């Protein structure tokens, strides 16, 4: 099952809704993990949203001290003075941003659809998204540091229309910030749409959506569980390899507010210093053992102390 939680900004009110992610100290499943450092607790708080009919005007936002978030890649137009040459071209966003924005808008239009159809996407559009999201991911560290508030989501597994419902209920980037803990593909019927939408949003709003790698973002796994077949049937093997090339560049852990450590899997006996996560070099495939393998595969068990070999035959 997918996990969903909200990490709030500092200083929540006493009447804020408190939801415990999981216990004990480390909570993990195929939908991701959250570890509490000595500075914090396992509880996350969800500050209640505005009541129906409440004002969302600029005056109301100013009175409450809130700031309306603006898209990071919003088009900019130059204002010409009377002395400027009328033939001077207007300044606009880069062409690749315009094309990716159009594709993301198209994918988001499926919200509320009565039938769960595949969305038509051109191969060159997908390649454009993959090309630019790889650069964005490689510019980030392997261990992200994220400030609240942020909504934390677990496995999507190709459930594209479930992802749209999350955005419909909780808000879309950049108005709301998200951390996804991996496993975006396989099993579900719409893995390509799921992955392209999230990667496209990452290009447009890199500070408002964060994507960790899961154990299914690996060629040896998603060749068996559906993603390879989906991409090969709808496009070709070359495009599948392009997706895998981006998976090999994704970060694998995130600290939220210096209190909650998140990853897809669990802890590792090799993780005696968080700095070791940043020392993992990319791009790379997921190895069969070691720190990276454990961060994506380990399964915490409340009844176990220390580390025992996993019944799945990989990690602990």
């Amino acid at each position: 099952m997918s996990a969903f939680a909200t990490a709030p900004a500092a200083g929540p009110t006493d009447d804020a809704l408190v939801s415990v992610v999981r216990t004990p100290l480390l909570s993990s499943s195929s939908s991701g993990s959250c570890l509490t450092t000595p500075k914090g607790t396992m509880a996350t708080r969800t500050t209640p949203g505005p009541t129906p009919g409440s004002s969302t005007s600029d005056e109301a936002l100013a009175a409450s001290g809130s700031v309306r978030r603006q898209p990071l890649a919003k088009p900019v137009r130059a204002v010409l003075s009377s002395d400027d040459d009328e033939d001077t071209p207007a300044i606009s966003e880069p062409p690749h941003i315009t094309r990716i924005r159009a594709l993301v808008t198209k994918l988001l239009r499926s919200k509320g659809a009565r039938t769960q159809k595949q969305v038509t996407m051109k191969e060159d559009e997908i390649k454009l998204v993959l090309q630019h999201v790889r650069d964005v991911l490689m510019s980030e560290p392997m261990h992200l540091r994220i400030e609240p508030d942020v909504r934390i989501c677990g496995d999507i597994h190709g459930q594209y229309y479930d992802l749209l419902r999350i955005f419909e209920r909780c808000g879309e980037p950049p108005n709301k910030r998200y951390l996804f803990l991996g496993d975006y593909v396989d099993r579900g019927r719409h893995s390509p749409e799921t992955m392209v939408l999230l990667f496209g949003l990452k290009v447009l709003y890199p500070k408002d959506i964060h994507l960790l790698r899961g154990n299914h973002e690996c060629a040896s796994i998603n060749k068996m569980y559906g993603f390879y077949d989906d991409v090969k049937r709808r496009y070709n093997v070359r495009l599948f390899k392009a997706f895998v090339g981006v998976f090999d560049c994704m970060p694998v852990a995130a600290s939220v507010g210096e209190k909650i450590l998140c990853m897809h899997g669990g802890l590792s006996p090799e993780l005696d210093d968080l700095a070791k996560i940043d020392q993992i070099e990319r791009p790379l495939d997921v190895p069969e053992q070691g720190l990276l393998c454990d961060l994506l595969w380990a399964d915490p068990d409340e009844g176990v102390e220390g580390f025992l070999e996993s019944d799945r035959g990989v990690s602990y």
Side-chain angles (χ1 to χ4, degrees), residues 237-251:
V237 176
R238 290 190 305 275
L239 188 61
F240 168 76
K241 291 181 178 179
F243 273 107
V244 172
V246 176
F247 294 158
D248 289 347
C249 300
M250 299 180 75

Side-chain angles (χ1 to χ4, degrees), residues 47 51 53 60 95 102 112 116 129 140 146 162 176 207 210 217-218 220 226 278 307:
T47 305
T51 56
Q116 298 186 0
V129 171
E140 298 179 329
I146 303 172
D162 287 346
K176 300 297 181 181
K207 301 299 182 183
H210 303 280
E217 281 68 64
C218 172
S220 62
D278 281 324
F307 294 88

Side-chain angles (χ1 to χ4, degrees), residues 134 136-144 211 213 246-252 277-285 292:
R134 185 185 188 278
V136 173
L137 295 172
M138 286 296 291
S139 71
E140 298 179 329
M142 280 290 265
H143 179 194
L144 304 176
L211 306 173
R213 187 177 190 176
V246 176
F247 294 158
D248 289 347
C249 300
M250 299 180 75
V252 296
I277 300 177
D278 281 324
Q279 294 171 5
I280 300 174
E281 297 183 359
R282 294 170 289 172
L284 81 167
D285 195 4
L292 177 59

Side-chain angles (χ1 to χ4, degrees), residues 5-284:
T6 302
T13 58
D14 291 338
D15 59 348
L17 176 63
V18 179
S19 60
V20 177
V21 179
R22 284 188 66 182
T23 56
L25 184 62
L26 174 70
S27 75
S28 173
S29 69
S30 61
S31 59
S33 308
C34 292
L35 168 69
T36 305
T37 68
K39 296 183 180 180
T41 66
M42 277 303 298
T44 59
R45 294 176 180 268
T46 306
T47 305
T51 56
S54 62
S55 173
T56 58
S57 65
D58 291 339
E59 293 80 8
L61 289 171
S64 64
S66 301
V67 178
R68 190 184 298 279
R69 186 180 296 277
Q70 298 296 331
L72 296 182
K74 184 178 180 180
V76 178
R77 294 285 179 181
V79 178
L80 303 177
S81 67
S82 58
D83 297 330
D84 289 332
D85 185 354
E86 293 183 358
D87 294 331
T88 302
I91 300 174
S92 61
E93 65 185 8
H96 75 273
I97 292 293
T98 301
R99 292 186 64 192
I100 293 173
R101 189 186 305 282
L103 179 57
V104 166
T105 300
K106 178 181 180 180
L107 288 165
L108 289 173
R109 284 200 198 106
S110 298
K111 286 190 300 184
R114 294 184 178 181
T115 57
Q116 298 186 0
K117 297 180 179 179
Q118 291 181 349
V119 178
T120 301
M121 301 179 291
K122 296 180 180 179
E123 182 179 346
D124 63 333
E125 293 176 328
I126 299 175
K127 287 181 176 179
L128 183 69
V129 171
L130 297 179
Q131 173 189 345
H132 290 281
V133 77
R134 185 185 188 278
D135 294 337
V136 173
L137 295 172
M138 286 296 291
S139 71
E140 298 179 329
M142 280 290 265
H143 179 194
L144 304 176
R145 277 75 172 179
I146 303 172
E147 291 301 320
D149 61 342
V150 62
R151 284 141 186 82
I152 302 174
C153 304
D155 298 14
I156 302 298
H157 275 311
Q159 301 293 339
Y160 168 65
Y161 286 90
D162 287 346
L163 174 62
L164 293 180
R165 276 190 282 271
I166 291 175
F167 287 152
E168 187 173 18
R169 174 168 294 188
C170 303
E172 300 171 9
N175 297 314
K176 300 297 181 181
R177 300 173 64 237
Y178 288 88
L179 169 63
F180 288 87
L181 304 183
D183 277 14
Y184 313 99
V185 300
D186 291 337
R187 296 181 177 147
R189 298 173 56 192
H190 301 91
S191 289
E193 288 90 344
T194 299
M195 205 70 267
V196 172
L197 175 57
L198 290 174
F199 278 165
L201 288 169
K202 182 64 179 176
V203 174
L204 297 178
Y205 314 112
K207 301 299 182 183
D208 296 301
I209 182 168
H210 303 280
L211 306 173
L212 299 186
R213 187 177 190 176
N215 54 23
H216 279 257
E217 281 68 64
C218 172
S220 62
I221 299 300
N222 54 46
K223 276 187 175 181
M224 295 189 295
Y225 289 94
F227 183 58
Y228 171 82
D229 294 328
D230 289 342
V231 178
K232 181 181 178 181
R233 181 180 65 256
R234 295 173 61 176
Y235 301 98
N236 50 65
V237 176
R238 290 190 305 275
L239 188 61
F240 168 76
K241 291 181 178 179
F243 273 107
V244 172
V246 176
F247 294 158
D248 289 347
C249 300
M250 299 180 75
V252 296
S255 293
V256 180
E258 298 184 357
K259 293 183 178 181
I260 306 173
L261 177 63
C262 302
M263 72 282 287
H264 180 77
L267 293 180
S268 170
E270 298 183 17
L271 188 62
D272 53 8
D273 186 343
L274 292 179
K276 287 187 175 181
I277 300 177
D278 281 324
Q279 294 171 5
I280 300 174
E281 297 183 359
R282 294 170 289 172
L284 81 167

